[in-house]
């Protein structure tokens, strides 16, 4: 509880430093807006971390009233655990949303934790390891019918300077990707999107399925196919309130899937309350819901819950050793007209799994 109080105090301090910038916010949705702010955060993976973040929201064509707001988000943090993470990500909607471009570029130097592969790993199995990673993701989508998009995507990941306990779980389980490697893959996607808003949908459906194939022809050291299905539904739930639900499947086909491409259970978006990667394997399925409500001016509250699991094969995704997550959080609108929120969440998982999250934008 002391950590939560300290974090809330720090959160409000950061918000007060933003008051001059936020005073310029208006209800005019066609205005381009840039917000930059310092950040000091705490999460399960990083402990206390300091850095900065920025968000640029814009509309490429001022006379385009059909497209949602485009965005580019940047951030960098350095933690007490000597972890450095820097990233740029965004989504741009061209005229009448005829094309949608999404991108993510990141660099990580990250002391991390590993409990082994599988759904039944023990908390006491925890081992430390570290790595450096460069990541690139590009996704181009073309509208082929109203609200329906076909896309092509590219993903590149390079992992190096991997250090782990010799003779430990990495060696015992013969984990692929415990030495320097890179993967490179091309894929296709289908997306159906009726959401009415980019950052805080009040209604609509988002359904996306894509696969990405990694092999020698795409200059990848490991050969496997990644398949992802993401289904989200947003329903009005009273005055200034929304209920959001998500079904998330992340799967791999292949016998040589490297560590950083496996399904990693937990994190700030899926199954909050678990260390990201607390459970790892080839397949993951998670179901979660969230109630969101604006309560006072720029402030809002949320309550969330979910359940899920990992498995080596799709047939092993069942209710055995099922994991659950519950929690709640606070929202503060950095950009009130576009509902771009700072969020602070506290999630509780099974057993000792729990933690705080401080992020820009909603979990899903």
């Amino acid at each position: 509880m002391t950590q939560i109080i300290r974090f809330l105090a720090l959160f409000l301090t950061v918000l007060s430093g933003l008051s001059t910038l936020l005073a310029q916010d208006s209800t005019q949705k066609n205005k381009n807006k840039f917000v930059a702010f310092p950040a000091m955060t705490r999460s399960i993976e990083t402990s206390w971390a300091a850095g900065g973040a920025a968000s640029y929201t814009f509309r490429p064509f001022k006379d385009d009233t059909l497209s949602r707001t485009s965005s580019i988000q940047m951030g960098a943090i350095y933690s007490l655990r000597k972890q450095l993470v820097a990233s740029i990500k965004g989504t741009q909607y061209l005229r009448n949303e005829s094309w949608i471009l999404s991108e993510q570029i990141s660099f990580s130097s990250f002391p991390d934790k590993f409990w082994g592969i599988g759904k039944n790993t023990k908390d006491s199995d925890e081992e430390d390891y570290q790595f450096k990673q460069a990541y690139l993701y590009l996704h181009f989508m073309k509208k082929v019918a109203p609200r329906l998009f076909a896309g092509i995507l590219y993903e590149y990941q390079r992992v190096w300077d991997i250090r782990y306990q010799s003779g430990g779980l990495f060696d015992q389980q013969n984990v692929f990707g415990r030495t320097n490697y890179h993967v490179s893959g091309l894929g296709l996607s289908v997306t159906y999107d009726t959401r009415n808003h980019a950052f805080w949908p009040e209604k609509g459906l988002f359904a996306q399925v894509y696969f990405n194939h990694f092999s020698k022809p795409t200059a990848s050291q490991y050969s496997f196919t990644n398949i992802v299905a993401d289904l989200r539904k947003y329903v009005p739930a009273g005055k200034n309130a929304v209920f959001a639900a998500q079904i998330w499947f992340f799967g791999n086909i292949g016998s040589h899937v490297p560590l950083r491409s496996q399904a990693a259970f937990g994190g700030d978006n899926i199954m909050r309350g678990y260390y990201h990667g607390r459970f790892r394997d080839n397949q993951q399925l998670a179901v979660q819901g969230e109630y969101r409500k604006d309560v006072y001016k720029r402030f809002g509250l949320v309550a969330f819950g979910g359940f899920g699991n990992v498995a080596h094969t799709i047939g092993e995704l069942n209710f055995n050793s099922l994991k659950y997550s519950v929690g709640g959080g606070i929202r503060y609108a950095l950009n009130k007209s576009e509902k771009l929120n700072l969020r602070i969440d506290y999630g509780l998982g099974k057993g000792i799994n729990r933690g705080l999250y401080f992020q820009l934008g909603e979990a899903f």
Side-chain angles (χ1 to χ4, degrees):
M1 182 60 70
T2 302
Q3 290 179 348
I4 298 175
I5 294 173
R6 290 172 63 190
F7 195 89
L8 285 172
L10 186 56
F11 179 70
L12 294 175
T13 300
V14 171
L15 293 181
S16 67
L18 293 171
S19 58
T20 301
L21 285 172
L22 295 175
Q24 300 173 0
D25 188 16
S26 74
T27 58
Q28 298 179 20
K29 293 188 176 183
N30 289 329
K31 279 193 173 183
N32 298 343
K33 298 183 179 68
F34 178 81
V35 176
F37 52 93
M40 186 174 289
T41 72
R42 180 180 174 86
S43 72
I44 306 175
E45 297 84 5
T46 62
S47 181
W48 290 101
S55 173
Y56 179 57
T57 56
F58 62 99
R59 292 179 180 267
F61 304 96
K62 300 297 183 183
D63 60 341
D64 180 8
T65 60
L66 298 178
S67 298
R68 287 162 289 180
T69 304
S70 299
S71 68
I72 298 175
Q73 300 169 8
M74 299 156 281
I77 62 168
Y78 187 78
S79 79
L80 293 179
R81 294 178 180 168
K82 300 181 179 179
Q83 299 155 318
L84 172 64
V85 180
S87 67
I88 300 173
K89 64 179 181 179
T91 301
Q92 294 80 50
Y93 301 91
L94 301 189
R95 185 179 294 278
N96 299 327
E97 296 192 4
S98 56
W99 287 90
I100 301 177
L101 316 177
S102 296
E103 66 282 334
Q104 182 176 341
I105 305 169
S106 66
F107 168 79
S108 306
S109 179
F110 212 89
D112 208 346
K113 298 181 183 296
F114 182 66
W115 289 265
I117 306 297
K119 67 171 71 173
N120 295 313
T121 57
K122 301 176 181 178
D123 293 326
S124 58
D125 291 337
E126 178 185 319
E127 290 184 1
D128 293 326
Y129 79 105
Q130 57 184 304
F131 65 93
K132 291 183 174 65
Q133 175 181 286
Y135 181 78
L136 171 66
Y137 174 85
L138 302 172
H139 194 176
F140 302 89
M141 291 178 283
K142 169 65 176 175
K143 182 187 289 184
V144 295
R147 302 291 189 173
L148 182 65
F149 301 84
I152 184 171
L153 54 101
Y154 174 73
E155 182 176 349
Y156 175 82
Q157 182 182 107
R158 179 173 176 248
V159 184
W160 73 100
D161 197 16
I162 304 169
R163 304 177 188 180
Y164 63 91
Q165 179 181 324
S166 179
L169 290 172
F170 280 96
D171 290 334
Q172 293 171 20
Q173 297 188 350
N174 191 29
V175 175
F176 295 106
R178 65 185 187 276
T179 58
N180 297 352
Y181 73 92
H182 71 268
V183 293
S184 175
L186 285 171
L188 299 174
S189 70
V190 176
T191 305
Y192 182 70
D193 190 357
T194 66
R195 294 174 299 174
N196 69 324
H197 206 281
F199 304 125
W200 202 84
E202 297 163 309
K203 60 182 179 179
L205 173 71
F206 175 86
Q208 183 177 81
V209 177
Y210 69 80
F211 78 90
N212 208 357
H213 183 64
F214 300 81
S215 62
K216 288 184 178 180
T218 61
S220 179
Q221 285 184 250
Y222 288 94
S223 295
F224 62 98
T225 300
N226 177 224
I227 301 174
V228 175
D230 186 359
L231 177 63
R232 312 176 196 178
K233 178 65 176 178
Y234 303 88
V235 180
K239 185 177 180 180
N240 299 322
V242 177
F243 177 75
Q246 180 184 35
I247 300 174
W248 167 262
F249 171 77
F250 184 101
N252 287 299
I253 300 173
S255 57
H256 295 79
V257 183
L259 177 69
R260 304 300 303 176
S261 295
Q262 292 177 338
F265 194 87
D268 55 26
N269 294 326
I270 304 291
M271 299 302 293
R272 282 159 283 181
Y274 292 86
Y275 190 104
H276 184 245
R278 171 60 188 85
F279 297 95
R280 287 183 179 274
D281 216 318
N282 283 349
Q283 324 294 333
Q284 177 182 219
L285 179 65
V287 179
Q288 57 183 5
E290 183 168 289
Y291 176 76
R292 306 168 180 171
K293 183 173 179 60
D294 291 334
V295 292
Y296 179 72
K297 293 185 177 180
R298 295 180 183 269
F299 286 92
L301 296 175
V302 305
F304 57 85
F307 61 90
N309 219 337
V310 299
H312 193 67
T313 65
I314 293 178
E316 295 172 342
L317 278 173
N318 50 43
F319 289 97
N320 294 334
S321 303
L322 192 68
K323 287 78 179 169
Y324 65 83
S325 167
V326 296
I330 298 172
R331 300 294 182 266
Y332 186 89
L334 286 177
N335 186 325
K336 191 174 181 180
S337 62
E338 299 295 350
K339 293 195 174 182
L340 177 60
N341 291 334
L342 279 173
R343 65 177 168 102
I344 174 173
D345 289 332
Y346 189 76
L348 290 167
K350 194 173 182 178
I352 66 172
N353 296 285
R354 62 196 61 200
L356 277 166
Y357 303 92
F358 176 52
Q359 298 291 330
L360 184 64
E362 300 303 322
F364 63 93

